Amino acid sequence: MAENVGGGGGRGESAGDKAREEFFSEAQEIVDGLSRDLLALDDVCRRGGSDAELVNDVFRAVHTLKGLSGLFGAAMMSGLSHELENLLDDLRLGRIELTSQVLDLLFQSVELYGRILAAAKGDAPEPAPEVKALLAALGQVAQQKGGGGGSVVAQYELDPGLLGVLTEYEEHRLRTNLQAGLSLYRMRVQFQLATIDSALDDLKAKTRPHGEIITFLPTGEGGDAESVELEILVASRANLGVLRGAVAGPNISVEEVRRRDGASNPLASIPPPPLDDRSRERDQTDPYGGVSMSPPTTSGGDALLDEINAAGAGATRTSAPPPAPSFPPGPGGQLGTFPPGGIPGMPVPGIAAGGAGAAAQGASGGSGATQRELTLRSVTQTVRVDIRKLDHLMNIVGELAIVRGVVARLSERVRLDPDLKEIAPDLHRLHRSFDRHLAQMQNGILEVRMVPLGQVFDKLARIVRQISREHDKQVNLVITGAETEIDKLIVEELSDPLMHMIRNAIDHGIEDKDERMRVGKPAVGTIALNAFQKGNHVVLEIEDDGKGMDPKVILAAALRRGLVTESEAREMSDKEVLTLVFQPGFTTRDDVTALSGRGVGMDIVKTNISKLGGVVDISSEVGIGTKMTITLPITLAIISVLMLEVAGRTFCMPLASVEEAIVFDDAMIKTFEGREVMTQRGATLPIARLAKLFQLEGWRPGVWINESAPTPKPPEVRPGRKAKSYCVVATVADRRVGFIVDRLVGQQDIVIKALGKSLKKARGLAGATELGDQRVGLVLDAAALINEVLASSTEGRIAGALEGPRSPKTGIDPRDARSDGGMS
Amino acid sequence: MKALVSRRGEGRSALQRADELGKRAEYLAFMLGTEAYAIQIGNIVEILKPLPITEVPRADPEVVGVMSVRGRLVTVVDLKRRFRLTRSFTMDKKSRILLVDAADELIGLLVDEVLQVYRLAESEVEPPQVLGTEQPPHVVGIGRPAGGAVLLLLDLAPLFLD
């Protein structure tokens, strides 16, 4: 039971927790794999083919999930897995067709698995109604099986060779009888050629009261010059015993043809032991015959088979040969009379059958073992690590970096001290080596944190399929750059925003088929998902070839919702208009008619991306398509920063956002309507004075140090001489702002840590880091600051008019997510 | 989640909470200016001598800044400013920072002096209502340990809900 899982965790033995964690991650991994396989299957299916191997993979995944969830008492998951397994088994054995309806169910179940897992972790409510609905749907599909005649026959372990030679009528009779629920028996009868006609008639007469003989065929074996062996298929309502009694006679064996799902009497289903002619003729009561067919052995064998199956290879079931009709018949009618215990250690001839069976089982057992071995191997090659542990390691690296700084200072002091000159070179070398190894370690940990974006893309592919079906639009998802790596934490946070954007692209962007044909586009819409690395950033593009976003429509919608005023609207560029979709509350939904609307939750998308230190941009052309570009930092953990000083305080500006830093002079400034701008490289650059932005009054280090000082260190007053200042040009996406600072201190790699919730109000800060000598340096959130500066200048321009609806500016608060992300 | 916590906080009367706290609980007493306060010792992770604290622009006025305690960032809050006992910020030799676990983060409470640990019996705790009917939620009672000290007992959770 999923809730049990949760409860168990609450009680919290650490070993149990750990096991649970592993369960979650393993289950998640399997579900992800399942999703990939299903997508591949979907692909194959759409091309009109089918791939037994893939179906098998899916089956195995579900089977493993079932085992896992059973182990952890996750009843909901195990129940779902059980039903799915049945469905997949039917699929595998061709009892049902792989229709898109079935695929839908499979996709749904993958989604439900995700939700069940989330629920078990306590992140979400349990999707109980959905699971129930899905189970019901699965049940329906299961009932549909057997609707086609062939599938009924397929349920029986009949030699395909035999089925192949049935006449159409015989096949029809077989089908009809089986559909009517009759049992199927296989008789093997040895006829003397001389008397075959009468003997056969005799047999027919004996059988008739109990059932219908569907066919008789020579087995081509077990006969000799004077005799022939026939295999007779009989459909009957009677049970095995009755039938046996009715036809009892020498050289006759009767067995039930098992259904593949094993619904049969194990005793009856065991193939008779192969006896060579001599022994058969010599002695019908030959006790050797009992050896391999005693029930204990049988059930033992079944148990073994089950175990092997349970060990993860559903495939073993198919690989086990059907009870071969090719087995020579045993002594007729004697099967039931052997002592059930069998005779232990009995040598041939029983061994022949046992041996064949063992070989069969050995083969399947062997493949099971191979499976197991493979699984083991993959486990030993990869280790699942909680990202928090990596954070912890990263923190240690951060502290070591501080030690490194101290050592560097010491080394410098030693070098300058004439008394210690001798050890100076050694210390220096030591420091260098420490430095190098620390950097390697840092990179190593960073590398471990990196995961390919493909993880998210797989999920998205599933969503594309689902949404496009919901909307009855055909969409082709083209993915490039799935191998691009990004910090695991970012990947986790990315899936929801990306899903929103994809949903919007299908919902609002891609036109329906008729419309597309009308405007001369291919009927199938395309959504391209591209990822690539660009410096310290990863760029993600979501591009659709839909109808694009019409600025006029967006503006109209924004006006109607009071997001902009008329006067603002007149001054907005098309690009500015597009960004209106990121405003909270923006939607064009009201006027569904003929409007290309977007913006369902786009404000959330933007907020989420901002939390990750990224930005979203839109470009769109009406009738051609829309492209959303997300720019994200590769990692949240370690960043290179430019250390700068403003009014005595030290801040860190992420180097990734710094375009350049130039010496600044007040004379460079021009003002337009109160906004300060300067010209840089021939372009207008809005500038912001960081001291003013942060309202830093007076020059002081901004660090309270209390060692022996009775009162806080008084702010140092700087000599009156006008110092140089600098302009740090920061860019995020295509937005640029010059930040005026007093001093550039230098460049440094830092481990960025989240500020606590209590500092939520301090906007414009991405986090903080330790600078050495125990001081903390604040890291600026360049994206937020740039947006703030540009937004406030817009507001300045159209002063006052937008107090109301616009005031909830696209709230950018990077600390939110990060403090939750366990970066401390 | 937050709403839940606060609702639970409202659900219990101050007296009830004092009761819960009152079963011979151990309190750490400290000074804010001239007034003596105490919080349950279980809330306190560590008592620190002040480390360098970096001020944070745009933070609430009661926030002194952030400091790093063995690699963890801690927001330091001046309880005196929080309680509006003072406007200016002081730190001296006796100043201590009480590291407390509050609402998903580590918070440092800057106090002027740490006094001692008191074990208070239920009988030694007066309900906050003696101070007047309307008391802020973080005031859970008045401790009167033997020896004549008078301590205002604080519950930290309501202080850091928003």
Side-chain angles (χ1 to χ4, degrees):
Chain A
M1 213 153 300
E3 48 272 65
N4 273 357
V5 171
R11 262 169 259 125
E13 295 117 89
S14 63
D17 281 355
K18 196 169 176 194
R20 248 167 51 81
E21 282 299 314
E22 271 170 25
F23 162 60
F24 282 136
S25 50
E26 187 166 353
Q28 190 63 57
E29 229 165 68
I30 295 171
V31 171
D32 290 349
L34 195 59
S35 169
R36 270 194 299 279
D37 287 345
L38 282 181
L39 283 168
L41 202 56
D42 182 44
D43 204 37
V44 173
C45 194
R46 260 190 297 180
R47 278 186 268 118
S50 90
D51 186 331
E53 199 39 55
L54 269 175
V55 176
N56 264 329
D57 286 347
V58 173
F59 177 85
R60 273 195 291 270
V62 170
H63 186 85
T64 313
L65 270 181
K66 181 176 144 186
L68 262 182
S69 51
L71 216 58
F72 279 83
M76 188 175 280
M77 182 184 276
S78 122
L80 177 60
S81 307
H82 181 75
E83 286 302 319
L84 269 182
E85 197 183 9
N86 286 346
L87 174 79
L88 287 163
D89 204 24
D90 289 345
L91 264 182
R92 232 155 46 97
L93 301 175
R95 285 176 221 147
I96 54 172
E97 297 263 321
L98 184 60
T99 58
S100 64
Q101 183 206 2
V102 171
L103 263 173
D104 279 349
L105 287 178
L106 292 175
F107 276 110
Q108 266 178 41
S109 52
V110 167
E111 197 220 322
L112 278 179
Y113 273 131
R115 291 174 56 183
I116 291 172
L117 277 175
K121 276 192 262 189
D123 296 348
E126 278 200 339
E130 288 87 342
V131 170
K132 215 172 147 190
L134 183 65
L135 287 181
L138 287 175
Q140 271 180 2
V141 172
Q143 281 185 350
Q144 282 161 14
K145 78 179 173 188
S151 60
V152 178
V153 175
Q155 287 174 50
Y156 288 82
E157 290 181 341
L158 286 168
D159 184 359
L162 179 134
L163 290 176
V165 296
L166 289 184
T167 65
E168 210 175 306
Y169 173 74
E170 285 167 340
E171 207 179 333
H172 171 68
R173 289 314 305 159
L174 178 61
R175 205 155 52 217
T176 316
N177 278 304
L178 292 180
Q179 271 166 8
L182 274 69
S183 304
L184 191 62
Y185 298 97
R186 180 190 292 120
M187 293 187 202
R188 285 165 180 275
V189 189
Q190 193 87 30
F191 289 105
Q192 296 301 312
L193 285 174
T195 58
I196 185 164
D197 284 349
S198 61
L200 195 55
D201 282 344
D202 188 30
L203 187 70
K204 280 179 183 169
K206 282 184 192 162
T207 311
R208 194 159 297 129
H210 303 285
E212 180 183 357
I213 290 180
I214 288 162
T215 186
F216 42 86
L217 297 161
T219 58
E221 55 187 72
D224 53 30
E226 284 151 24
S227 68
V228 64
E229 186 187 80
L230 294 190
E231 181 176 279
I232 305 176
L233 275 185
V234 181
S236 168
R237 287 199 190 281
N239 64 32
L240 185 64
V242 172
L243 198 65
R244 273 205 188 126
V247 298
N251 300 329
I252 297 178
S253 76
V254 185
E255 57 173 302
E256 188 176 352
V257 179
R258 276 194 296 182
R259 288 167 66 108
R260 284 188 210 269
D261 50 15
S264 69
N265 175 357
L267 185 67
S269 59
I270 287 306
L275 302 175
D276 61 49
D277 291 339
R278 261 175 308 133
S279 63
R280 195 184 315 123
E281 278 165 14
R282 187 181 63 223
D283 192 356
Q284 287 161 2
T285 59
D286 186 357
Y288 298 172
V291 171
S292 66
M293 53 178 131
S294 55
T297 319
T298 303
S299 60
D302 277 355
L304 176 64
L305 199 64
D306 282 350
E307 201 176 289
I308 291 161
N309 282 340
T316 53
R317 239 187 271 179
T318 35
S319 62
S326 56
F327 276 140
Q334 296 298 332
L335 269 144
T337 65
F338 292 121
I343 297 156
M346 212 53 210
V348 279
I351 287 297
Q361 287 195 351
S364 53
S367 77
T370 318
Q371 284 283 338
R372 236 178 297 185
E373 220 172 81
L374 281 177
T375 330
L376 272 180
R377 204 174 303 146
S378 65
V379 164
T380 49
Q381 272 172 357
T382 54
V383 180
R384 293 196 193 85
V385 183
D386 190 323
I387 189 96
R388 282 168 295 192
K389 285 189 186 163
L390 292 180
D391 279 341
H392 178 63
L393 285 180
M394 208 46 135
N395 277 337
I396 296 175
V397 168
E399 282 180 50
L400 286 177
I402 291 161
V403 174
R404 178 187 58 190
V406 176
V407 173
R409 276 199 297 277
L410 269 181
S411 161
E412 187 62 18
R413 257 173 58 191
V414 166
R415 196 176 60 84
L416 296 176
D417 189 331
D419 296 342
L420 296 167
K421 239 179 179 149
E422 283 164 35
I423 62 165
D426 286 344
L427 189 58
H428 182 67
R429 258 199 306 280
L430 212 59
H431 172 242
R432 288 277 299 277
S433 156
F434 182 49
D435 198 23
R436 204 169 49 244
H437 287 119
L438 193 61
Q440 280 171 1
M441 186 163 157
Q442 197 176 61
N443 285 336
I445 296 174
L446 272 186
E447 237 166 68
V448 174
R449 293 176 63 100
M450 295 295 179
V451 291
L453 271 166
Q455 283 192 356
V456 196
F457 288 179
D458 286 343
K459 284 190 212 162
L460 290 174
R462 205 168 77 224
I463 282 156
V464 165
R465 183 185 182 279
Q466 183 194 336
I467 302 173
S468 55
R469 282 181 70 86
E470 275 169 21
H471 291 274
D472 198 24
K473 290 174 183 171
Q474 280 181 295
V475 177
N476 195 10
L477 182 70
V478 182
I479 292 177
T480 58
E483 71 289 347
T484 312
E485 292 198 321
I486 197 164
D487 193 287
K488 169 80 176 165
L489 275 183
I490 301 182
V491 165
E492 292 296 302
E493 300 295 325
L494 258 184
S495 44
D496 279 356
L498 283 178
M499 193 190 82
H500 265 297
M501 295 166 92
I502 295 248
R503 183 179 281 277
N504 275 334
I506 301 173
D507 198 352
H508 302 293
I510 304 282
E511 312 91 332
D512 54 36
K513 206 198 283 178
D514 299 341
E515 174 69 15
R516 289 183 70 88
M517 301 294 258
R518 205 178 54 77
V519 297
K521 289 185 186 177
V524 178
T526 301
I527 293 182
L529 197 53
N530 307 319
F532 53 92
Q533 193 174 334
K534 194 175 159 191
N536 271 333
H537 284 91
V538 165
V539 181
L540 273 168
E541 295 172 345
I542 299 128
E543 195 171 2
D544 65 59
D545 66 346
K547 60 191 156 199
M549 297 158 75
D550 189 341
K552 289 190 206 86
V553 175
I554 290 167
L555 202 54
L559 277 169
R560 216 169 29 248
R561 310 209 144 247
L563 298 173
V564 287
T565 61
E566 293 277 357
S567 58
E568 272 182 273
R570 272 194 295 278
E571 294 189 31
M572 290 179 104
S573 69
D574 281 359
K575 189 153 175 97
E576 281 175 306
V577 169
L578 288 185
T579 61
L580 282 175
V581 300
F582 293 122
Q583 293 277 336
F586 178 88
T587 174
T588 55
R589 271 282 161 91
D590 280 357
D591 35 42
V592 194
T593 47
L595 289 181
S596 71
R598 249 171 223 259
V600 185
M602 285 305 280
D603 61 319
I604 297 167
V605 168
K606 173 147 187 183
T607 313
N608 286 347
I609 299 291
S610 302
K611 279 177 184 170
L612 298 172
V615 281
V616 196
D617 272 313
I618 308 181
S619 61
S620 182
E621 263 183 80
V622 178
I624 292 180
T626 302
K627 180 155 104 178
M628 306 246 177
T629 311
I630 302 176
T631 314
L632 288 162
I634 285 183
T635 178
L636 298 175
I638 286 222
I639 53 171
S640 294
V641 291
L642 177 64
M643 314 275 295
L644 40 90
E645 225 176 76
V646 186
R649 286 89 159 170
T650 306
F651 291 97
C652 313
M653 171 79 85
L655 212 56
S657 316
V658 176
E659 190 178 277
E660 62 178 328
I662 47 182
V663 179
F664 174 77
D665 191 321
D666 273 346
M668 298 158 91
I669 286 190
K670 291 190 171 55
T671 50
F672 292 124
E673 297 170 313
R675 298 156 61 197
E676 291 184 316
V677 299
M678 58 182 268
T679 305
Q680 182 237 3
R681 298 187 188 279
T684 305
L685 177 73
I687 66 158
R689 294 169 191 270
L690 210 51
K692 206 164 136 195
L693 206 59
F694 278 160
Q695 295 173 310
L696 305 174
E697 288 152 13
W699 193 97
R700 62 163 187 261
V703 179
W704 308 104
I705 300 169
N706 176 63
E707 262 144 26
S708 54
T711 46
K713 221 175 174 181
E716 287 174 40
V717 182
R718 251 198 158 187
R721 180 169 62 89
K722 177 78 192 143
K724 261 194 286 190
S725 49
Y726 295 85
C727 175
V728 177
V729 183
T731 62
V732 174
D734 57 353
R735 287 175 277 257
R736 302 162 74 233
V737 167
F739 291 97
I740 308 301
V741 302
D742 296 339
R743 202 160 80 84
L744 303 179
V745 181
Q747 187 188 330
Q748 194 171 331
D749 279 354
I750 59 153
V751 181
I752 186 167
K753 291 169 188 172
L755 295 173
K757 275 188 184 152
S758 49
L759 292 174
K760 227 175 178 170
K761 283 183 194 159
R763 299 197 304 115
L765 298 175
T769 187
E770 223 169 320
L771 294 180
D773 56 19
Q774 286 192 310
R775 283 190 311 138
V776 170
L778 297 170
V779 182
L780 302 173
D781 181 344
L785 285 173
I786 289 173
N787 283 337
E788 185 187 322
V789 168
L790 296 180
S792 68
S793 57
T794 322
E795 268 167 29
R797 192 175 44 174
I798 350 163
L802 6 132
E803 278 326 273
R806 187 129 182 227
S807 54
K809 269 188 301 247
T810 42
I812 288 146
D813 191 351
R815 268 149 289 117
D816 251 358
R818 293 200 193 164
S819 54
D820 292 340
M823 298 276 299
S824 55
Chain B
M1 188 66 182
K2 225 178 236 181
L4 205 84
V5 173
S6 72
R7 224 178 295 130
R8 202 168 55 204
E10 286 157 18
R12 300 178 296 160
S13 74
L15 188 60
Q16 273 174 322
R17 273 181 288 150
D19 272 353
E20 285 165 28
L21 300 171
K23 306 237 159 51
R24 269 271 169 214
E26 285 186 320
Y27 283 87
L28 181 79
F30 53 87
M31 298 298 289
L32 294 179
T34 56
E35 302 173 2
Y37 291 78
I39 52 176
Q40 280 223 356
I41 206 139
N43 290 319
I44 298 169
V45 178
E46 196 173 352
I47 301 171
L48 299 164
K49 288 189 176 177
L51 300 160
I53 303 171
T54 302
E55 58 175 43
V56 180
R58 297 175 166 182
D60 288 329
E62 74 230 36
V63 172
V64 180
V66 287
M67 63 175 187
S68 169
V69 181
R70 286 184 298 278
R72 291 190 71 180
L73 280 185
V74 174
T75 307
V76 182
V77 171
D78 185 358
L79 274 185
K80 270 191 291 184
R81 272 190 281 184
R82 173 76 206 226
F83 296 152
R84 304 210 159 71
L85 299 175
T86 178
R87 288 171 132 216
S88 63
F89 153 80
T90 56
M91 202 154 73
D92 59 28
K93 254 187 210 164
K94 287 182 182 169
S95 295
R96 290 292 178 274
I97 290 169
L98 310 182
L99 210 55
V100 296
D101 235 330
D104 303 338
E105 67 168 306
L106 272 184
I107 299 243
L109 303 176
L110 179 66
V111 303
D112 288 336
E113 187 181 351
V114 169
L115 299 173
Q116 68 169 97
V117 175
Y118 287 103
R119 286 178 59 109
L120 295 179
E122 268 173 84
S123 59
E124 289 168 328
V125 177
E126 293 176 324
Q129 281 76 7
V130 299
L131 294 172
T133 45
E134 289 288 312
Q135 287 300 315
H138 58 264
V139 176
V140 290
I142 295 162
R144 292 190 160 275
V150 180
L151 311 165
L152 193 64
L153 305 183
L154 301 178
D155 181 6
L156 292 177
L159 278 178
F160 298 106
L161 274 185
D162 40 43

